[in-house]
Amino acid sequence: MVDCVVKDWQGADAGTAILDLKVANEDNAAHIVHRAIVRQMHNSRQGTLSSKTRSEVRGGGRKPWRQKGTGRARAGSNRSPLWRGGGVTFGPKPRDFEVKMNRKERRLALRTAFQSRVEDMVVVQNFADQLSAPKTKEVLAAMGRWGVESDEKVLMITAEKNDVVYRSVRNVANIKLILATNLNAYDIVLADRLVVTAAALEKIQEVYSA
């Protein structure tokens, strides 16, 4: 169980929130998080790369020149992998990169990854009502008041989708906005700082605690 300080829009302390998630043992925590990240990266691959072998390249049915007497090396087809325009030896073919992992393990890895970033986490009050219109400048100013540096990669987690908040941060390259129900281990580990609303923190514990 961890007590997190909740900051308001101005950056002042506005209370505390409790983060209490069941995580993996210290001995195998790194291993299970690593497995979850490897699985996510593999499963995001399309696996549609394809190259043609010498039997699939068009042409090459006629022997380029006679076997003997020309002084040149023997050649049976101009679609040999040794020739320009020929087939590819051991080239990529469509394949499935899917890596399986049990649901309980995936959720345990997610909880472990999230709680391991508690020192880099900033919990804030819901700030959607502070923005009457999409204002990137105001959100960046608030991030500065929360102690987030401008060059840090930020994962912003909210409880529900808000169009004003989304349009305020979508042009900032180093800020990624996701919902609490769409958490994944890769984004959590990749970010330098996590900005989580108090409502999102409650949602995370509600959804992923079991």
Side-chain angles (χ1 to χ4, degrees):
M1 182 181 297
V2 180
D3 289 331
C4 303
V5 177
V6 180
K7 295 182 178 294
D8 60 14
W9 180 248
Q10 301 301 326
D13 295 350
T16 59
I18 297 175
L19 176 61
D20 187 13
L21 294 173
K22 182 180 179 182
V23 299
N25 295 331
E26 187 176 351
D27 295 336
N28 59 3
H31 172 66
I32 193 170
V33 172
H34 177 263
R35 284 185 55 208
I37 294 175
V38 169
R39 170 190 171 272
Q40 182 178 340
M41 295 178 70
H42 274 279
N43 292 357
S44 66
R45 299 184 67 175
Q46 289 183 321
T48 54
L49 284 175
S50 182
S51 60
K52 293 184 178 181
T53 64
R54 62 181 297 166
S55 64
E56 296 169 324
V57 180
R58 184 178 180 182
R62 176 177 176 273
K63 188 174 174 66
W65 49 76
R66 61 195 174 99
Q67 181 80 347
K68 303 174 77 67
T70 64
R72 289 180 289 189
R74 295 174 292 189
S77 171
N78 60 5
R79 290 300 176 253
S80 165
L82 304 179
W83 284 54
R84 181 176 180 272
V88 178
T89 306
F90 304 125
K93 286 292 185 181
R95 56 172 292 193
D96 183 10
F97 288 94
E98 182 181 4
V99 176
K100 294 185 178 180
M101 190 175 182
N102 293 336
R103 180 174 180 270
K104 287 185 177 180
E105 287 183 302
R106 296 199 308 265
R107 294 172 75 89
L108 179 61
L110 184 61
R111 294 194 300 266
T112 303
F114 186 76
Q115 185 133 337
S116 69
R117 301 304 308 277
V118 68
E119 293 183 0
D120 303 312
M121 188 186 308
V122 179
V123 183
V124 299
Q125 291 179 335
N126 183 26
F127 56 87
D129 54 351
Q130 300 288 338
L131 301 168
S132 57
K135 293 289 184 181
T136 303
K137 187 175 181 180
E138 292 185 12
V139 173
L140 293 178
M143 300 275 276
R145 294 193 294 269
W146 295 334
V148 179
E149 301 293 336
S150 59
D151 59 344
E152 290 181 315
K153 289 183 180 179
V154 178
L155 180 65
M156 184 177 290
I157 306 172
T158 59
E160 55 187 19
K161 187 175 181 179
N162 184 281
D163 189 59
V164 175
V165 175
Y166 166 72
R167 291 167 64 187
S168 296
V169 301
R170 65 180 176 179
N171 288 335
V172 185
N174 59 337
I175 297 180
K176 181 171 184 178
L177 177 66
I178 64 173
L179 298 179
T181 52
N182 294 337
L183 282 186
N184 62 86
Y186 179 77
D187 284 336
I188 292 173
V189 173
L190 183 66
D192 296 322
R193 298 294 292 272
L194 275 62
V195 175
V196 188
T197 64
L201 196 64
E202 293 180 6
K203 190 74 172 178
I204 290 169
Q205 295 182 99
E206 175 187 340
V207 173
Y208 300 103
S209 59

